[in-house]
Amino acid sequence: MTAPTAPSPTAAGSGANATQSFRSTDKNRGGDTAASPERVDTVVRELLLAVHEVIRRHEVTYPEFQAAKSWMIEVGEGGEWPLFLDVFVEHVVEEVQAATQQGTKGTILGPYYLPGASRLTSPATLPMRDGEKGTPLVFAGQVRDLDGNPVAGAEIDIWQADDDGYYSGFAPHLPEGNLRGLVVADDEGRFEIHTIQPAPYRIPTDGPTGKLIEAAGWHPWRPAHLHLIVSAPAHRAVTTQLYFSGGQWLDSDVAEAVKPELVLDPQDTGDGNSRVEYDFVLERDEATTAA
Ligand code: MBD
Ligand code: FE
């Protein structure tokens, strides 16, 4: 069977799915423990002051205020809050966290992670359709610590868009688990993953996030990327993405999540395939190593 040409999955489908998957992920149920009253008072008060300031500075009108309310209601009804917040806000939260993280640069998680991907032993081929479109890619490397020692027991949770820019689990035409895997590295932290190069991702233009982007005259694109969570016992996991040298939108990612250290330059292996090496560096996790 060859991969069908992609019908456009609806914004409603992908947005609503992102909200459902966010809600069903246990680690997101931090609502009552996440912040003290003092923290809520400080952060929310200043957030509101910032909004008030913008309204005064730009003399925002009643019709504009009501349009903003309608739009927010649509974002909620369409299930696009994870999409909107991960595209326009998460990069700053990640920047704050990154100030305390050494080793491989992290970047945003985004709305399309799904826990529970198939466990695969390196060398591994990600689950894909027969005749999956796209340039085959071999992605190999080693997980080490800050001193350069190999890290045993490392796992690479990897997920990516296909050659049409769609993620399994968020586009109804794709088989469950397509291009997602939890790859277990060898005892020396070495891994080799066989996949295809992803295409750039476009925010669905028919949903409220896409409509806002269009109304503002911005573009809706993210450069092609692989998503990864690299973890190992007693080490701090890193959530990151890897991009492709020379790719479109690298300098204007709508989600502002590109970092120069995260750009791969795969080499053509001469037979229509490509290969690249990238090593990950993890910090020891003080929380799990403290005596
Ligand atoms: C994506 O694929 C993505 O990675 C982010 C951060 C936001 C929207 C779509
Ligand atoms: Fe993505």
Side-chain angles (χ1 to χ4, degrees), residues 11 30 95 114 158 164 168 275:
E95 175 189 310
L114 290 174
I158 179 169
D164 294 311
S168 64
R275 181 183 172 93

Side-chain angles (χ1 to χ4, degrees), residues 83 86-87 90 108-112 167 201 203 222 225 227 241 255:
L83 175 68
D86 293 353
V87 166
E90 188 185 356
I108 65 178
L109 175 70
Y112 298 144
Y167 286 87
Y201 171 86
I203 292 169
R222 296 213 62 220
H225 55 278
H227 287 270
Q241 298 180 31

Side-chain angles (χ1 to χ4, degrees), residues 69-225:
K69 273 198 254 176
S70 303
W71 177 82
M72 288 189 195
I73 290 166
E74 278 176 42
V75 174
E77 285 176 349
E80 286 197 2
W81 280 119
L83 175 68
F84 177 82
L85 291 169
D86 293 353
V87 166
F88 290 109
V89 180
E90 188 185 356
H91 69 96
V92 189
V93 180
E94 195 284 325
E95 175 189 310
V96 170
Q97 157 168 300
T100 69
Q101 190 155 22
Q102 293 172 278
T104 297
K105 293 283 178 199
T107 190
I108 65 178
L109 175 70
Y112 298 144
Y113 175 65
L114 290 174
S118 314
R119 263 181 107 76
L120 310 165
T121 302
S122 175
T125 300
L126 296 189
M128 61 179 82
R129 294 163 286 179
D130 290 341
E132 185 76 40
K133 282 197 300 157
T135 304
L137 172 69
V138 178
F139 169 56
Q142 187 179 30
V143 183
R144 293 192 298 261
D145 66 18
L146 290 171
D147 300 320
N149 304 309
V151 173
E155 296 182 350
I156 295 110
D157 202 342
I158 179 169
W159 68 105
Q160 63 170 95
D162 68 7
D163 188 53
D164 294 311
Y166 297 122
Y167 286 87
S168 64
F170 301 90
H173 67 289
L174 293 178
E176 192 183 333
N178 206 239
L179 299 175
R180 295 174 181 271
L182 180 62
V183 178
V184 180
D186 72 12
D187 293 344
E188 296 258 273
R190 292 187 194 280
F191 62 88
E192 183 176 291
I193 300 168
H194 296 244
T195 182
I196 54 116
Q197 294 194 205
Y201 171 86
R202 190 183 70 182
I203 292 169
T205 46
D206 61 324
T209 304
K211 291 219 178 87
L212 170 75
I213 288 169
E214 190 181 77
W218 306 333
H219 83 244
W221 291 94
R222 296 213 62 220
H225 55 278

